Amino acid sequence: MKITYKYLIVLLIFFSACDNGFDELNTNETDATNIDPIFQLNDAIINTSFPGSVLVYDMGIVQQIITPNSGVITGANFNQDNRNSTEAMWVNYYREVILNTRDIIRRVEGEPERNNLYQMTRILQAYAFMLLTDSYGDVPYFEAGKAFSDQVFLPTYDTQQEIYPEIIDELSAATAALDANGKVEGADILYGGDVEKWKKFGSALLLRAGMRLSKVDPSRAAEVVQAAVQSGVITDNDDNAYIRHDANYVNGVGRTLNATEANNYYLAAPFVDYLKNNNDPRLRSIAVTYVGAASGPEQVPGPDGNGSNDPEIQIGMPMGNNDETAKQVAAELGLASFYEFAQADRSRVVKQTAPMFLVTASQSQLLMAEAAERGWISGDAASYFEQGIRAHMEQMATYDEDSAIPGEEIDTYVAANPLQGANALEQINTQYWVSSFLNGPEAFANFRRSGYPELDPNPFPNQDISGDFIRRLTYPSSELAVNTAKIQEAISRQGADNLETRVWWDVD
């Protein structure tokens, strides 16, 4: 093809004209190019709310909620490995929580006007890493969440023994550096930027972290606990750290129990029996039995349904059953079917808009009761113990007004259950088990740390563990496939990637 000089000039003029205004046309003037990091913190806070997978393992391991069914909800009910469920917390916390907190810290570190946001983020991040390492053991810490900032796509796994001092240091430093005279981050959805509440949250987490070391390093545990208590932990329900849910952002456990698994999960017999045998008023606040239900559709919630909160008729599902043996057990107990076993009430404590508690006054008071019993802090262990029980019973009203416990019933229970020296640690940690109901990761962690409550092992046959209880969650299949070398290094160091390898602080 022959291109003349005149033709070439025309083409150049044409393309030059087409380029006029090109940058303006390709600039999006409506989408945000930057975001205030407080909204990233809010996204991280929202995603600390537990997914429904905590029903499969954490709550089943500690024998509070159990299912007789298999398939996608196989887990602690049979002491079998199901990585579709064990990975859920990992995926949510690393992709949504740590990813955001790392980026916020990178963006605002060294900016004095955002000091409080920086410290709040450090506290939330420490919480997230504590939950992750408590659940899985060795996890990425130093290089985690740095794919965008540092292009670290395959992070190294760090030992829990290395991670815990970092968590303690972060909580200590961040809590101390919060400034009541600094900028108020009013858009914060956890505490509305209230620095004093964030301080108590950080100190309560520090108390929790210190108590985790009670067996593996008692002297260090005592030091950390003392510092936390002196700093001022959460001791009032008004300061509880919890996620508020609504119709747009629902409680993950509530979503699961009000949808496909509504008829599959039941309160476990050890939990119901403990509450029932001790005349605990929380049973009425928590449980529902659908009287005469012979099938799932015959469980009819609502004022015109067959649900009853009467504590006298609540019967928990015994451990160790599948859907066939559960039918036999139900018949032996005189129930219409296993659908008549007690459930967590999905119109109250596990409704879709129910709050998700992360750290509470009750938990802090009970941990201080144990610390006082051990001689690590001053104060009366019996008083802390009583306040811990009261706080949780009063906390029930936050779920739903129909779960509120009258003050006289609280007084009666407390008077009938004083702390007794010989059994103090068992009493304290058994109450912690009750207080942590629906906070599966914390109930699971404290059960391993303290050894209480004293539960009989799940008797289901054909288990994937040789010991009595599951001790950790297994790593995600995606990590095994993609981050192979790093995860294998962790496994060779920590122990087999199975349900019975203990994390560092979980010693006999």
Side-chain angles (χ1 to χ4, degrees):
M1 177 179 178
K2 184 177 180 180
I3 300 178
T4 66
Y5 178 75
K6 182 186 289 185
Y7 183 63
L8 181 60
I9 293 296
V10 171
L11 286 175
L12 288 171
I13 292 171
F14 173 77
F15 284 119
S16 176
C18 287
D19 188 54
N20 288 337
F22 182 82
D23 289 341
E24 290 79 2
L25 287 171
N26 285 275
T27 298
N28 189 324
E29 296 182 356
T30 58
D31 285 354
T33 57
N34 196 10
I35 184 173
D36 190 319
I38 187 60
F39 299 118
Q40 285 182 272
L41 180 63
N42 285 343
D43 188 64
I45 290 169
I46 288 171
N47 281 286
T48 59
S49 188
F50 312 133
S53 64
V54 295
L55 289 160
V56 180
Y57 280 98
D58 306 70
M59 296 184 194
I61 296 167
V62 299
Q63 301 181 11
Q64 291 179 329
I65 295 181
I66 202 72
T67 178
N69 296 320
S70 57
V72 296
I73 52 179
T74 293
N77 53 346
F78 308 139
N79 279 344
Q80 293 175 0
D81 193 3
N82 173 6
R83 297 192 186 228
N84 289 328
S85 290
T86 61
E87 73 176 12
M89 191 74 75
W90 177 289
V91 170
N92 199 58
Y93 267 56
Y94 272 116
R95 292 184 185 175
E96 304 296 340
V97 183
I98 301 301
L99 182 66
N100 274 301
T101 57
R102 284 290 199 205
D103 191 52
I104 297 166
I105 288 170
R106 177 186 65 83
R107 294 178 61 192
V108 304
E109 186 175 11
E111 295 187 14
E113 68 277 10
R114 303 308 292 271
N115 170 69
N116 283 337
L117 174 61
Y118 175 60
Q119 309 306 342
M120 289 153 56
T121 304
R122 293 171 74 190
I123 290 170
L124 190 76
Q125 181 170 273
Y127 165 77
F129 275 124
M130 192 189 309
L131 185 144
L132 286 165
T133 189
D134 288 346
S135 297
Y136 300 95
D138 293 2
V139 296
Y141 178 84
F142 293 103
E143 295 181 346
K146 294 187 175 181
F148 173 72
S149 61
D150 296 15
Q151 287 73 59
V152 179
F153 303 109
L154 302 174
T156 297
Y157 282 59
D158 303 293
T159 69
Q160 187 175 69
Q161 190 171 2
E162 294 174 302
I163 294 170
Y164 250 84
E166 293 293 324
I167 290 172
I168 289 168
D169 287 347
E170 280 291 283
L171 290 171
S172 301
T175 301
L178 284 165
D179 184 5
N181 296 315
K183 175 181 171 60
V184 176
E185 300 288 349
D188 151 40
I189 61 171
L190 186 61
Y191 288 125
D194 189 319
V195 167
E196 290 306 311
K197 290 181 183 292
W198 272 97
K199 280 181 175 286
K200 291 176 183 178
F201 178 39
S203 296
L205 286 171
L206 187 62
L207 170 62
R208 182 181 285 185
M211 292 303 294
R212 289 283 198 271
L213 309 182
S214 59
K215 289 183 178 177
V216 72
D217 191 348
S219 60
R220 180 58 177 151
E223 293 173 358
V224 175
V225 167
Q226 289 165 13
V229 173
Q230 289 171 3
S231 177
V233 302
I234 297 172
T235 57
D236 189 287
N237 283 334
D238 287 343
D239 300 326
N240 285 343
Y242 66 97
I243 309 303
R244 297 157 178 83
H245 297 101
D246 58 25
N248 296 312
Y249 182 73
V250 301
N251 182 306
V253 172
R255 178 195 293 116
T256 298
L257 294 182
N258 281 277
T260 56
E261 310 304 336
N263 315 123
N264 289 335
Y265 280 96
Y266 296 84
L267 293 174
F271 186 64
V272 172
D273 290 349
Y274 177 80
L275 298 178
K276 195 172 182 179
N277 293 341
N278 288 279
N279 297 313
D280 194 317
R282 285 172 287 195
L283 183 56
R284 184 185 292 276
S285 300
I286 290 169
V288 63
T289 288
Y290 292 98
V291 180
S295 65
E298 291 186 25
Q299 294 181 344
V300 184
D304 298 324
N306 59 337
S308 172
N309 308 126
D310 181 359
E312 293 300 319
I313 70 167
Q314 308 300 324
I315 299 175
M317 179 174 283
M319 299 295 297
N321 291 287
N322 60 20
D323 55 352
E324 288 301 318
T325 60
K327 295 176 184 176
Q328 300 169 18
V329 172
E332 293 169 0
L333 292 170
L335 303 180
S337 71
F338 72 69
Y339 295 100
E340 200 175 2
F341 280 115
Q343 292 183 296
D345 194 337
R346 54 185 184 266
S347 67
R348 296 184 297 160
V349 293
V350 289
K351 61 187 178 184
Q352 295 193 62
T353 57
M356 183 77 75
F357 289 91
L358 307 180
V359 184
T360 67
S362 175
Q363 291 169 333
S364 293
Q365 294 278 12
L366 291 168
L367 290 178
M368 288 192 292
E370 179 176 345
E373 185 67 24
R374 292 178 178 274
W376 293 350
I377 61 172
S378 61
D380 180 32
S383 178
Y384 290 133
F385 178 70
E386 176 182 333
Q387 292 305 313
I389 295 172
R390 286 185 179 277
H392 186 245
M393 289 189 174
E394 292 167 357
Q395 177 188 315
M396 297 305 300
T398 312
Y399 289 107
D400 191 274
E401 62 181 6
D402 288 337
S403 287
I405 301 174
E408 60 271 18
E409 293 185 19
I410 297 175
D411 292 340
T412 299
Y413 181 85
V414 167
N417 294 273
L419 188 65
Q420 299 174 338
N423 301 313
L425 293 184
E426 179 179 2
Q427 284 182 275
I428 292 165
N429 285 288
T430 301
Q431 284 293 336
Y432 197 93
W433 174 61
V434 178
S435 174
S436 298
F437 178 65
L438 298 176
N439 185 337
E442 183 58 20
F444 178 35
N446 199 67
F447 171 64
R448 287 174 289 162
R449 178 194 71 84
S450 70
Y452 297 114
E454 291 188 344
L455 301 171
D456 292 327
N458 184 345
F460 192 84
N462 304 318
Q463 303 185 18
D464 288 344
I465 64 173
S466 58
D468 290 340
F469 293 96
I470 292 171
R471 311 306 298 191
R472 64 178 284 274
L473 303 186
T474 51
Y475 292 127
S477 298
S478 57
E479 280 292 291
L480 290 165
V482 176
N483 199 7
T484 309
K486 301 292 179 62
I487 200 170
Q488 289 300 333
E489 179 184 355
I491 292 169
S492 65
R493 179 180 62 226
Q494 177 174 255
D497 181 28
N498 58 34
L499 297 170
E500 57 187 341
T501 292
R502 292 173 181 257
V503 302
W504 167 67
W505 53 251
D506 178 17
V507 298
D508 289 327

